[in-house]
Amino acid sequence: MGYENVKKSYLKNQVMSASPNKLIEMLYQGAIKSVKIAGIAIENDDPKKAHKELVRAQDILMELKGSLNTEVEGDVPANLESLYDFMNEQLVKANINKDQSLLPPVVKMLTELLDAWTQITTETK
């Protein structure tokens, strides 16, 4: 079994055994990682890798958007949905134009959301 197969097997086990809260955390982490890798790829003039990572980050944002509980009272679900849409638009623009300057604000927003999520889930344990 090669390294890639072992890595995929490990990741599959991590995902399959994770709680819903942990899955959201993993999605945020994955999106942050993909956007950062895409930025490096753009800097290194590797448009294929940048495209792959930006599309991965967009897929993660759509997964996060799809996981929103719209039955929660208040503005939080709608605000998060708008934020996910905005970040997705920024990633599309960055991908089309290979514009690395659009990525740091997205990383910052994702990091802040991850930090807030981690704090909320830690407090509710």
Side-chain angles (χ1 to χ4, degrees), residues 9-75:
S9 177
Y10 173 77
L11 286 173
K12 183 178 178 182
N13 287 337
Q14 287 288 100
V15 170
M16 297 305 288
S17 64
S19 69
N21 288 346
K22 183 66 176 172
L23 287 173
I24 298 295
E25 182 180 322
M26 292 168 74
L27 287 170
Y28 280 130
Q29 290 169 340
I32 292 165
K33 180 180 176 183
S34 287
V35 174
K36 286 181 176 180
I37 291 171
I40 293 167
I42 291 170
E43 285 178 12
N44 293 333
D45 198 28
D46 188 348
K48 285 183 183 178
K49 184 170 185 117
H51 173 76
K52 176 184 165 195
E53 294 298 332
L54 288 168
V55 169
R56 179 178 286 155
Q58 288 172 255
D59 289 344
I60 293 170
L61 284 171
M62 291 304 101
E63 189 66 34
L64 286 164
K65 183 177 172 181
S67 73
L68 288 173
N69 182 352
T70 55
E71 312 233 342
V72 172
E73 289 186 31
D75 297 334

